[in-house]
Amino acid sequence: MKLHLLTVLLATLGFASAARKCVIPKILQGTWFSWEFGEPTATTIDARSYERQGPTQGRVWTECVDSEKVGSNHTFILKGADCYSCVKAFPRTLNVFEKFETPCITLDRNEQPTIERICRTLRKDQQLITLFNKNFHPMSCRSSLEGVWHFAYQNRFRFTGECDSPDARIQSCQTPGSQFLIQNQKFNITYRQCQGMDGTFNGVVEYSCLGDWFIGKNHYFAVVNTKESREDEKYRCFLKNRDDDLYIGGSITAECNTLKTVEKSPERYRVTPVKSEVVEPGCRFPQNFTGDWINTANIDAEVQVNETHIIETYYPDRARFRRTIYVCREQRDSRIMTARLTVDGCQKDYVCFDFIPRHHNVIRYRKGMAVIKDDFSTVCSWVQFPNREEWRYDLFLNAKPTPVRCPVAGKFNFTQKGESPFKTRILGGVTLSPRPDIRCKQNISDFSVCDTDQKEMAIDANYCLSVDHLGRPVDIYSDPDYRMKCIGYWQENLKSYLVTYDDLDPLSKYRCWVYQRADLNRVLMSQATGAFCDVRQDVTSWNYTEGAVVALDMVEYERERDQCPMHFDDGENPWQEGENYITVFPWLIYRSGVPSSLGGTMNAFVVSLAALLLKLLF
């Protein structure tokens, strides 16, 4: 009797210690649906047990005897009738988790069911099994899918080819602040039948979102069709990729393991963003804004401006693009309120631009914060613009710039300091014939703006300064290492800025400079890393901490035969005409072919008018 009581007591203590050792977290407890062993399976999990039931496999009840947690992942040892199995669970969302599972393993009498022994047969290349919560709680779709798209799709198991109907839509738009949360937890896919393709159909499928997760660059999200009564047709998985989000992959069963890549998914959607709203313009942009521009404040985005719209497209990489449309709504003084149709086409908000009148090939602007309210006094209030101690205007640069007269002209000898100094190179590669060997007594670094219109900067890192006995340069064959066209300059924050254009620059065709006249014949310049200058950059900046790559200290050295006059403009008034224009008078009255109808009175009047104009002009 005592021996029997001792046995019962030890068994009870062993069961209690095992129960204390094994902990199944609440996030995994509940009733789940999955597709296992080729058939629909229902799984019930509580704090101590794990029960699985299927049409052919029957009811399998197991007890948890050991567990381990690493990060958010859980490993369990489950004891069946006469064997042990290992389950490794990966919670994805509140409604979805995935698992690896080993076959049932029978141990010898003296072996203990440890995690190391039971789970050693787990392989990393095993198929993940996805379990969906039957008592699911819908979640917001914003992180899973946000936007309106037209789509063309293909299903490898129903039809060949791609069904592309102009009316096919994926619409997943959330309403911020809505009191009806169900509005933000669903999205619709509108299918349209394609002529000649039997597997296509007309219909609208409404999905509720069950959450999303990332594995590397793959973005998975699970959904449930609440209007479908068949459980095996109810749950679905979708896959997006960070590097190629113009395609979406979808499963045709309640499994996520069939989605390895977007391109090889059972069902693939090729999506194109569309705008869901049409906004009527209420004003016009200035006429000289019309054209193609580059926005230096947004990864050199392409900008198209017409009378009423600004269409901005930027490319995160070569394959993808993001497009935002601004519609002119109301204008007062220099501020213009625009309606912004966002990248994914769902929401419409309002943004204010503060423009400075265009000069040269440059439009300077400030952009305020986005506001949901359509009211000029709110959207374009000065408090909506970022309030920083140091700030400068952002830039639109002309995509097809016309050169202007450079604010710094002349012939300069310069010294340079920087992380990317100007180096000797040959423009255009190898020359057609060898250049003659010239004996040069003195070499300098040369900065010249000497063309007739003074619109192009020529930089030669190793320039021969020697001349012959007549004072002429001996090196007449060498070309400069860099040629840059001046396309705009201005003064801001007591600094003078210049933008140049070089079609051969591998990093950025547009370069921003800060320049300053330090003496009668001395100019300091600093070149930026790209198309815009950092607010901290000044004429002495030379490294990346201030957004610069090289600083130049230039001293004018024009010689007798250079014919390169010095010129400097600090950009205080960039709208002033600084070009050298030549006016040609045709003097038609002195030509032999003048008609006789021009009598002496008319001739005298024209001559008198010309004389008066000459006096006024000269």
Side-chain angles (χ1 to χ4, degrees), residues 406-423:
C406 295
V408 178
K411 208 163 182 65
F412 298 89
N413 175 10
F414 71 87
T415 57
Q416 58 180 331
K417 177 184 179 182
E419 296 175 332
S420 180
F422 294 106
K423 300 178 181 179

Side-chain angles (χ1 to χ4, degrees), residues 1-16:
M1 183 66 180
K2 292 181 179 180
L3 181 61
H4 178 69
L5 291 175
L6 181 61
T7 303
V8 173
L9 180 61
L10 290 175
T12 305
L13 291 174
F15 177 79

Side-chain angles (χ1 to χ4, degrees), residues 330 370 375 444 540:
E330 188 174 348
D375 178 61
I444 63 169
T540 61

Side-chain angles (χ1 to χ4, degrees), residues 469-480:
H469 64 286
L470 297 177
R472 297 174 300 190
V474 296
D475 186 4
I476 60 174
Y477 300 99
S478 297
D479 293 323

Side-chain angles (χ1 to χ4, degrees), residues 329-367:
R329 293 289 296 163
E330 188 174 348
Q331 177 181 6
R332 298 180 192 175
D333 51 70
S334 63
R335 293 168 294 170
I336 298 179
M337 185 184 75
T338 62
R340 183 179 70 168
L341 304 179
T342 54
V343 171
D344 296 319
C346 274
Q347 297 179 8
K348 174 186 67 177
D349 48 28
Y350 298 89
V351 177
C352 187
F353 286 87
D354 177 23
F355 286 107
I356 288 182
R358 173 185 173 178
H359 57 84
H360 308 131
N361 298 278
V362 180
I363 299 175
R364 290 183 283 159
Y365 72 94
R366 297 173 68 192
K367 187 166 72 170

